[in-house]
Amino acid sequence: MDVTFRIRRYNPEIPGKDKPFWQEFSLTGVDETDRVLELLHRIKWEQDGTLSLRRSCAHGVCGSDAMRINGANKLACKILVKDVGDRIQVEPILGLPVLKDLIVDMEPFFAHYRSVMPYFVNDSPVPADGRERLQSAADRAIFDDSTKCILCAACTTSCPSFWANGDYVGPAAIVQAHRFIFDSRDQAQQERMEVLAEPDGVWRCRTIYNCTPACPRDIQVTRAIGEVKLAIRKGSTSGIIDPADIKIATSNS
Ligand code: FES
């Protein structure tokens, strides 16, 4: 089949291309099971070597090729032609500064990520027998979903609250905070909740729900944000989540 791409281009170093513009490319011999990433490679390698995009693993693991495909945030390596049709519009994710073509500056996104202390905190001595800090399967299940995040920014850059205010910490950072706030072994949940209780924290979320369908890992992002809001309202995580409910949600997904 033939496919036409319409790609948002921008190159601040080339006069005439230093304002965003659209460019079309035609490809022949495309299979409906080809991935959008492969076709962008074909354009770059066969037609225009200056086309710039990020990618690494090509298997939906590294999170580097999030882009807006036919108006929705996707990983180019996970989307097949049959998912989007023979006219494919590609543009950079929204809300972050564009550096060149499909490449955005991820630093504001990672600054929000760092602000929620996305690492395990526990200053207690390790158990005397030298074993790991143990946790029940039920306690582990509470934050299992939020461990799946690959930091592709698809959720945060699909959020109108983030588009309107780049200081908003954003869905991805809240998911990362959720992963540790609800970890029974962690000791910094109060500090994280204080960060997220700030004006640009979790209350900027208006439950618009763009983030959940944008997640390529099917994380229930809006649910995680709701649980963090509840925890902040209560001042603690205890009793907010019934592990039995988590089991039901997991087995239904
Ligand atoms: S290239 Fe790694 S997630 Fe797509």
Side-chain angles (χ1 to χ4, degrees), residues 37 55-65 75 77:
L37 180 63
R55 81 281 182 271
S56 181
C57 71
H59 287 84
V61 176
C62 73
S64 62
D65 64 339
L75 295 179
C77 64

Side-chain angles (χ1 to χ4, degrees), residues 188-242:
Q189 57 172 234
Q190 289 301 332
E191 288 162 76
R192 290 191 193 88
M193 291 198 290
E194 281 167 20
V195 170
L196 292 173
E198 292 292 317
D200 289 320
V202 74
W203 304 114
R204 290 264 177 225
C205 167
R206 299 289 189 265
T207 321
I208 296 164
Y209 202 66
N210 274 15
C211 51
T212 299
C215 178
R217 304 302 303 266
D218 297 327
I219 298 172
Q220 297 300 303
V221 180
T222 310
R223 175 183 171 146
I225 294 172
E227 289 171 352
V228 172
K229 285 178 177 174
L230 264 178
I232 292 173
R233 272 209 190 99
K234 277 192 66 175
S236 94
T237 57
S238 62
I240 289 175
I241 299 173
D242 181 346

Side-chain angles (χ1 to χ4, degrees), residues 28-60:
T28 58
V30 173
D31 195 280
E32 65 169 10
T33 57
D34 284 346
R35 296 171 299 164
V36 170
L37 180 63
E38 296 173 64
L39 301 183
L40 289 171
H41 280 159
R42 273 190 59 189
I43 293 169
K44 182 175 176 66
W45 295 334
E46 298 170 8
Q47 300 187 32
D48 185 346
T50 68
L51 178 64
S52 299
L53 62 142
R54 280 201 187 99
R55 81 281 182 271
S56 181
C57 71
H59 287 84

